[in-house]
Amino acid sequence: MTLAELLRGHDLAILRGHDLAILRARLEADGHAVLPRLFDASQCDLLRHGADARYRITCLEAEQFEPLACEEAPDEGCVLVLTVLLSEASAFSGGECVMTEQRPRLQSRPMAHALKQGDALLMRVGSRAVQGTNGSYRATLRHGVARVRSGTRWAAQRVFASNAPLA
């Protein structure tokens, strides 16, 4: 299944201006892709107030965080998670999007992204095959949110799932 097919029927227009081939390459190589300025401030306000039921809205206040999680894909399937920061970056401190990729017989690879309002992070979560020097291996990507040190962080999250692998 191609990235366009996975997102078909899910308002592909949200990815306007982003080349799907480049996004797919980033998802294959790193398991995630940052999409700067995907939403403008007015769209962020609409999402925050529940204008689109397809998004799960989260609000984290000081000392709160989201632990690492992993949506499970159907057998041989694919799950993409789109996370959009709705708050102004100056409204809180901390609260970075964090991910860890677990690889067999290797240390886990941590990654963190500090997003700005309207920026999105598209992540291929769950297990995926990665080509290594001695053949392919399975890597598992988990995601969460670092502790918010002060202020309030609003975000929206949407899950895209398929029964077929991303091709």
Side-chain angles (χ1 to χ4, degrees):
M1 169 166 287
T2 67
L3 182 58
E5 289 170 336
L6 176 60
L7 299 175
R8 184 174 295 138
H10 294 287
D11 189 15
L12 191 59
I14 63 172
L15 297 177
R16 68 195 179 293
H18 294 279
D19 184 331
L20 291 182
I22 293 172
L23 283 179
R24 184 184 175 282
R26 285 188 201 153
L27 290 171
E28 288 298 320
D30 300 325
H32 68 281
V34 176
L35 307 170
R37 299 175 300 284
L38 190 63
F39 291 87
D40 63 30
S42 63
Q43 291 171 309
C44 288
D45 285 341
L46 287 173
L47 279 175
R48 186 172 143 190
H49 292 96
D52 191 336
R54 298 172 294 183
Y55 288 86
R56 179 178 67 91
I57 307 301
T58 59
C59 175
L60 296 177
E61 296 180 344
E63 301 305 317
Q64 292 181 324
F65 65 95
E66 285 187 6
L68 291 174
C70 181
E71 285 80 1
E72 287 300 320
D75 290 340
E76 299 302 317
C78 176
V79 175
L80 297 179
V81 175
L82 180 72
T83 299
V84 182
L85 183 64
L86 304 178
S87 300
E88 285 283 345
S90 61
F92 64 95
S93 65
E96 296 85 0
C97 290
V98 295
M99 298 168 287
T100 182
E101 184 177 68
Q102 295 173 318
R103 302 170 292 172
R105 296 175 300 285
L106 297 170
Q107 290 185 347
S108 292
R109 183 176 72 152
M111 298 160 275
H113 291 283
L115 302 176
K116 296 178 183 168
Q117 184 182 36
D119 288 355
L121 185 61
L122 184 62
M123 301 167 279
R124 183 175 178 180
V125 299
S127 297
R128 65 187 176 99
V130 176
Q131 187 60 40
T133 55
N134 295 326
S136 64
Y137 62 90
R138 186 162 300 288
T140 302
L141 186 71
R142 299 182 188 288
H143 63 96
V145 178
R147 181 177 58 92
V148 174
R149 291 187 293 277
S150 65
T152 303
R153 177 194 189 272
W154 288 87
Q157 193 172 77
R158 188 164 169 197
V159 176
F160 303 92
S162 167
N163 289 329
L166 192 61

